[in-house]
Amino acid sequence: MSKTIPIVAAATVQGDTSSSVRAAGGDGVGCHAGAEQMLAAAKAAGKSETLERYARDYPVAPSTGPHDQPQSMCPAFGALRVGLRMRRTATILSGSACCVYGLTFTSHFYGARRSVGYVPFNSETLVTGKLFEDIREAVHKEADPERYDAIVVINLCVPTASGVPLQILPKDINGVRIIGIDVPGFGVPTHAEAKDVLAGAMLRYARAEVEAGPVQAPRTGASGKPTITLLGEMFPADPVIIGRMLEPMGLAAGPVVPTREWRELYAALDCAAVAAIHPFYTASIREFDAAGRAVVGSAPVGHDGTEAWLQAIGSAVNVPQAKIDAVKNMMLPAIRGALAKAPIKGRITLSGYEGSELLVGRLLVESGADLRYVGTACPRTAWSDADREWLESRGVHVQFRASLEQDLAAMHEWTPDLAIGTTPVVQAAKERCIPALYFTNLISARPLMGPAGAGSLGTVINAAIGTKARFDEMKAFFGDTGAGHAAGVWEASNGVPRDRPEFKADTRRQVQKMLKKRKAEEMI
């Protein structure tokens, strides 16, 4: 067991943490504080380098008000999900109890079936630095090489703002790797990008191990062919489908990053090229660049996407053109036929936060849909440009870092036959009698690649569009019941609640008066 490092030693690494810790924990700047206050506290605590890297990797739009950052679930869920899906990997959270409860609830809702470690704190342990010592003790207790290859420790908002220095934890304990990362909601915009934060940190660690000497082979053994690493979570059938398309070119599908096991990281790095299926994994791509691996954007979706992707992959790894053409001649007619069998007729708006929205948009357009808008919570990158250009050339508006308000505005403007989006978008659409589908559970949870993907959307999309008459019938029956001032639970014997606009006006005047008073106080 390595020597205990007192928190004062962290100041030499992290800067003077005492004042920022008091500000973040003991002086009222906690979970309830605004993002700007939390960000300032974190920088004062020595987290500037980490936060500046996040700002470069995951840029947000210039500030336009309260919604310049996409509304998403807690970003840390993305990193938590990656750790919980890996074999022989433990995850420990450091954050406010309410945040940890929400994250663990969500993780078990998504079927984690694994315990999540938690290091609690209070104002005293945060201010004195004992929280770091508690984390260090917890990691030592968990570091059992018989059970784990790695332990992931995640700082949530308050510990990050307080400068809790996870980077000075031991790099390994008893042969168990220790990965400490900060995933604050004020520094990582979406949970999709938080997956990249952890995947990138693991790749960096694994790359150092590869450079130091021999490492474990994959559980299934090394591939006898050059492999293409697939970057980004996807439907389980898609890697298999991609593998079948690569095989005639003498290639094989490599691991999917984020991986399901530590040793797969070595195989992911030992590839011929990387397919950035999800194009926002900037930290991971940086590690592949450092390993000298070429990165190819987009994915084999639809006819045009598959043709361009096969050409790009083949060119990246010097496959003879004759072999590339042979695969195209085999796959493209099958894809065209699948698209023709399941045509989509109707106007659609599409939005989501998974990162595959542009790929789904391409597939919808090639299926015949009148797609007007694609919104994604993820940022624009060089590896998404091909998909963006293809969609825009067909009249589709592509919105990166889309907010809920932008998604709703698109739906109101285009009045689609079907709205595909996040939960609040689906709710708003159904209130307007517009059929809607939840992107995460009903669209991204099906194959998208190759011939299988080409025929996967038509049935569910057309069935949803066909429910329009049912919505109209329900609306005609229920009318405005439960809407506006009549929302909530009320006794029928008292009659329908009466709208009182004078009360609303009085409340509005009081709020405006309070805001003016606060503004005046700020100027003093």
Side-chain angles (χ1 to χ4, degrees):
M1 185 176 293
S2 34
K3 182 180 178 182
T4 300
I5 304 174
I7 195 66
V8 291
T12 62
V13 180
Q14 286 289 98
D16 180 12
T17 63
S18 57
S19 61
S20 57
V21 169
R22 283 194 296 271
D27 198 25
V29 185
C31 295
H32 59 281
E36 291 183 5
Q37 289 176 282
M38 299 287 277
L39 187 62
K43 288 182 176 180
K47 294 287 185 179
S48 293
E49 183 180 350
T50 297
L51 294 170
E52 287 169 3
R53 185 177 71 250
Y54 288 168
R56 292 191 302 270
D57 287 350
Y58 317 115
V60 296
S63 182
T64 56
H67 303 305
D68 54 334
Q69 178 173 326
Q71 296 96 315
S72 165
M73 69 175 74
C74 172
F77 175 66
L80 176 62
R81 175 182 171 91
V82 168
L84 290 176
R85 297 181 76 189
M86 291 183 69
R87 298 186 188 94
R88 294 179 52 81
T89 300
T91 305
I92 298 174
L93 296 178
S94 171
S96 300
C98 53
C99 300
V100 172
Y101 169 77
L103 288 168
T104 54
F105 176 88
T106 307
S107 68
H108 293 304
F109 177 82
Y110 278 92
R113 286 187 278 184
R114 191 185 302 180
S115 297
V116 179
Y118 171 42
V119 181
F121 66 88
N122 55 36
S123 295
E124 181 180 353
T125 60
L126 195 64
V127 170
T128 62
K130 189 174 185 300
L131 172 58
F132 175 77
E133 299 298 333
D134 290 343
I135 293 172
R136 196 174 189 280
E137 181 182 357
V139 170
H140 275 278
K141 286 182 177 179
E142 286 293 303
D144 179 0
E146 295 297 318
R147 299 171 61 199
Y148 300 122
D149 293 328
I151 296 175
V152 177
V153 187
I154 302 175
N155 265 348
L156 305 182
C157 287
V158 172
T160 297
S162 303
V164 176
L166 296 181
Q167 75 274 18
I168 65 172
L169 288 169
K171 296 301 179 186
D172 68 83
I173 300 172
N174 300 326
V176 179
R177 304 160 185 86
I178 310 301
I179 310 290
I181 57 174
D182 297 286
V183 191
F186 56 84
V188 181
T190 68
H191 79 285
E193 289 155 298
K195 297 175 185 177
D196 179 50
V197 172
L198 181 51
M202 288 184 163
L203 283 167
R204 182 169 63 252
Y205 197 120
R207 186 167 60 82
E209 290 182 312
V210 171
E211 292 172 351
V215 293
Q216 280 183 305
R219 183 183 295 269
T220 56
S223 172
K225 301 177 181 178
T227 60
I228 305 299
T229 293
L230 307 176
L231 189 55
E233 289 186 320
M234 63 191 81
F235 187 73
D238 279 336
V240 178
I241 295 167
I242 290 173
R244 290 172 183 167
M245 288 191 281
L246 293 172
E247 187 176 3
M249 291 195 291
L251 305 172
V256 176
V257 176
T259 63
R260 295 301 184 94
E261 190 173 16
W262 185 271
R263 66 174 70 181
E264 290 181 359
L265 292 164
Y266 308 136
L269 289 163
D270 185 27
C271 64
V274 178
I277 305 296
H278 286 194
F280 56 88
Y281 276 70
T282 306
S284 298
I285 289 173
R286 182 164 54 243
E287 298 307 318
F288 286 116
D289 282 340
R293 304 299 184 245
V295 180
V296 175
S298 193
V301 292
H303 178 278
D304 292 0
T306 300
E307 181 177 26
W309 188 82
L310 289 172
Q311 183 64 51
I313 289 291
S315 299
V317 296
N318 299 315
V319 174
Q321 188 61 45
K323 284 191 173 183
I324 300 174
D325 291 339
V327 177
K328 289 181 183 179
N329 293 335
M330 182 189 311
M331 293 295 169
L332 297 181
I335 293 173
R336 191 180 290 112
L339 291 169
K341 287 181 180 178
I344 296 173
K345 301 298 181 183
R347 180 181 297 175
I348 296 174
T349 58
L350 167 69
S351 55
Y353 47 57
E354 300 296 329
S356 58
E357 291 77 27
L358 274 65
L359 300 179
V360 174
R362 292 189 66 147
L363 199 52
L364 289 173
V365 171
E366 287 208 28
S367 297
D370 177 17
L371 184 65
R372 298 300 180 95
Y373 171 87
V374 173
T376 175
C378 296
R380 174 180 170 180
T381 68
W383 303 281
S384 64
D385 277 347
D387 298 325
R388 175 187 57 79
E389 291 168 0
W390 189 92
L391 287 166
E392 290 180 343
S393 70
R394 286 153 179 81
V396 180
H397 176 78
V398 178
Q399 181 65 55
F400 292 100
R401 288 291 188 225
S403 67
L404 172 60
E405 288 69 26
Q406 289 170 317
D407 293 341
L408 293 176
M411 182 186 69
H412 287 295
E413 178 180 357
W414 296 112
T415 316
D417 299 304
L418 177 69
I420 301 173
T422 57
T423 304
V425 171
V426 169
Q427 177 184 348
K430 291 181 177 179
E431 287 178 353
R432 298 191 66 195
C433 295
I434 297 173
L437 293 173
Y438 179 35
F439 182 89
T440 300
N441 286 2
L442 297 174
I443 301 300
S444 67
R446 59 187 64 245
L448 299 175
M449 313 298 167
S456 69
L457 294 181
T459 302
V460 67
I461 296 292
N462 288 327
I465 291 175
T467 63
K468 170 66 174 172
R470 186 186 305 167
F471 280 100
D472 291 337
E473 184 178 351
M474 287 191 293
K475 180 67 174 178
F477 178 80
F478 288 104
D480 294 326
T481 301
H485 66 276
V489 179
W490 41 273
E491 297 294 334
S493 59
N494 295 332
V496 178
R498 183 163 62 91
D499 192 14
R500 300 300 294 265
E502 66 275 16
F503 291 170
K504 297 176 184 177
D506 184 57
T507 301
R508 191 178 301 111
R509 283 192 297 269
Q510 292 183 40
V511 170
Q512 290 172 347
K513 183 178 179 181
M514 180 183 64
L515 292 175
K516 288 180 181 179
K517 181 181 177 182
R518 287 183 180 176
K519 189 68 176 178
E521 290 172 348
E522 290 174 2
M523 297 173 64
I524 297 175

